[in-house]
Amino acid sequence: MTNWTLKQILKEYPFALSYFEQNKLDITGYEGNTLEEYLEHFSIMELEDQAIDKEKILSDFPLYIEQMQAFLGTEKKNLVHSLTILAGHDKSGDPEGFTELTALTSQIISIVGPTGSGKSRLLADIEWAAQNDTPTGRSILINGETPDNKWRFSSNNRLVAQLSQNMNFVMDLTVHDFLNMHAVSRMVEDPQSVIEEIIKAANNLAGEKFDLTTPVTSLSGGQSRALMIADTAILSSSPIVLIDEIENAGIDRKKALDLLVSSDKIVLMATHDPLLALMADKRIVIKNGGISKVIETTEEEKKLLDKLEKMDSLIQNARQELRKGSTLSSHILE
């Protein structure tokens, strides 16, 4: 970075402008220079009058960039390319039915099993990057290694974004204000364009459209989930997304998963929906609090999925017609 021009620095790290402003360094007209070249233009008198310590700035600036990246979480999205689950034991203390499972970016792993079997416990182990310190005895590796403690315990370095079954807002904000607050906290270069991208994506998922002036407290369950999925995919820095029963959200499930995967995230979802289970690259089967087995989706299952999606489309169309107050007839099956 020492050879980068100020223009290159600001393009890669827009938040760096705050550093210059806080130190009262006006870089206007010097964007084509390196930071060291810019500092050289000051006369001795200017350095003294403005209390500019060139050596301190040159040593502090890289540290500022590093700390801001850690705070914003921007560095780990690109660094995390795999998540590995190492086997523990079930509620009876018996070893789980696998040795290890690795998920890569842009992969979907589904988690299936009866209610109360331990799906949520697995999600919790992943969220907190368990290190044989939870009731299951599982351990989580990131990129094949034990994760840094800052990723486990720091609120600023969350590895995981979790989307629960119930998304209830308590803040008296409009959708625009909510998204703008998140965008500004992430110091994105153009908050408004990001906000517009998120609302467009959210409405592509939601059954009922909403706009930026809608209060977040008045959003339906499906609209809230659509908004948070779009926000997570587009703005969140967390490289791993955990979803609990997305089928209950009242949104387009397939589009939601496509959006998250296109954002180079690792997606794990607990589900009772056979379509979602088969959309995944692999599925984890939970029994008695432990992972019973890990199954790769077969070619035959993928063909079956096409048929199930057509059947589901018929049901969804029927649901929409009934919501409109229409009377159904046999033509809906054609």
Side-chain angles (χ1 to χ4, degrees):
M1 193 169 61
T2 55
N3 295 323
W4 288 17
T5 64
L6 295 174
K7 181 178 181 180
Q8 289 173 316
I9 291 173
L10 291 176
K11 182 178 180 180
E12 184 69 19
Y13 310 112
F15 55 78
L17 183 60
S18 297
Y19 178 87
F20 300 130
E21 292 174 345
Q22 290 166 11
N23 286 279
K24 298 180 180 180
L25 299 173
D26 184 2
I27 63 172
T28 305
Y30 294 90
E31 291 85 354
N33 297 96
T34 66
L35 178 57
E36 185 173 3
E37 289 170 343
Y38 164 72
L39 293 173
E40 287 296 330
H41 95 277
F42 289 101
S43 67
I44 295 177
M45 184 175 295
E46 288 173 326
L47 292 174
E48 292 177 351
D49 288 344
Q50 299 180 44
I52 297 174
D53 186 332
K54 293 192 297 182
E55 297 302 321
K56 190 173 189 306
I57 289 174
L58 290 173
S59 62
D60 284 356
F61 183 65
L63 180 60
Y64 170 83
I65 295 293
E66 181 180 340
Q67 291 176 338
M68 284 300 295
Q69 280 187 294
F71 172 75
L72 297 173
T74 53
E75 87 285 10
K76 65 180 181 298
K77 181 177 179 181
N78 295 324
L79 289 178
V80 174
H81 54 75
S82 72
L83 162 75
T84 299
I85 305 170
L86 300 181
H89 52 76
D90 64 16
K91 293 178 182 177
S92 302
D94 296 324
E96 294 187 289
F98 80 115
T99 303
E100 67 178 58
L101 166 65
T102 296
L104 305 176
T105 53
S106 298
Q107 277 194 335
I108 302 173
I109 307 293
S110 62
I111 305 167
V112 301
T115 299
S117 60
K119 297 189 295 295
S120 295
R121 177 67 262 175
L122 173 57
L123 293 179
D125 283 351
I126 296 169
E127 180 179 12
W128 296 107
Q131 295 300 307
N132 195 25
D133 53 3
T134 68
T136 64
R138 297 185 187 112
S139 292
I140 304 299
L141 304 180
I142 301 299
N143 300 337
E145 299 177 351
T146 301
D148 191 299
N149 280 339
K150 71 176 183 180
W151 288 1
R152 297 192 68 199
F153 305 118
S154 170
S155 61
N156 294 329
N157 287 278
R158 296 301 298 275
L159 276 171
V160 170
Q162 183 156 12
L163 301 171
S164 63
Q165 296 182 50
N166 300 310
M167 305 294 296
N168 296 315
F169 292 99
V170 295
M171 295 178 291
D172 187 20
L173 299 172
T174 64
V175 171
H176 179 276
D177 291 340
F178 171 76
L179 294 176
N180 186 65
M181 183 173 62
H182 191 188
V184 170
S185 73
R186 288 289 167 196
M187 294 187 180
V188 298
E189 192 169 356
D190 186 357
Q192 189 56 40
S193 66
V194 172
I195 290 170
E196 291 171 359
E197 183 182 0
I198 292 173
I199 189 68
K200 181 179 179 181
N203 276 318
N204 190 41
L205 304 179
E208 186 177 351
K209 308 297 182 186
F210 59 98
D211 58 40
L212 293 172
T213 63
T214 305
V216 292
T217 52
S218 69
L219 295 175
S220 68
Q223 290 172 327
S224 297
R225 183 70 75 93
L227 177 63
M228 291 310 298
I229 288 175
D231 179 85
T232 297
I234 295 169
L235 194 52
S236 172
S237 64
S238 299
I240 301 167
V241 179
L242 306 182
I243 307 175
D244 197 0
E245 298 190 18
I246 195 175
E247 62 265 29
N248 296 331
I251 62 173
D252 190 309
R253 312 182 299 265
K254 190 173 188 305
K255 287 181 180 178
L257 291 178
D258 288 343
L259 177 61
L260 290 167
V261 169
S262 68
S263 302
D264 294 328
K265 296 183 184 291
I266 299 171
V267 180
L268 296 100
M269 59 177 176
T271 183
H272 294 290
D273 188 328
L275 272 75
L276 291 176
L278 295 180
M279 284 178 191
D281 300 280
K282 299 176 183 177
R283 62 184 179 274
I284 295 171
V285 182
I286 303 286
K287 291 182 181 178
N288 191 34
I291 296 176
S292 172
K293 63 175 100 172
V294 178
I295 303 173
E296 289 199 31
T297 305
T298 67
E299 289 302 319
E300 184 175 358
E301 286 177 326
K302 292 177 182 178
K303 292 177 182 178
L304 178 60
L305 176 60
D306 290 336
K307 295 181 180 179
L308 290 174
E309 286 180 329
K310 291 176 182 178
M311 294 168 60
D312 183 66
S313 179
L314 291 174
I315 294 173
Q316 296 298 330
N317 289 339
R319 180 180 289 116
Q320 290 300 324
E321 291 301 316
L322 289 172
R323 285 174 174 171
K324 294 176 185 177
S326 304
T327 300
L328 299 185
S329 61
S330 59
H331 81 275
I332 197 171
L333 299 176
E334 298 172 359

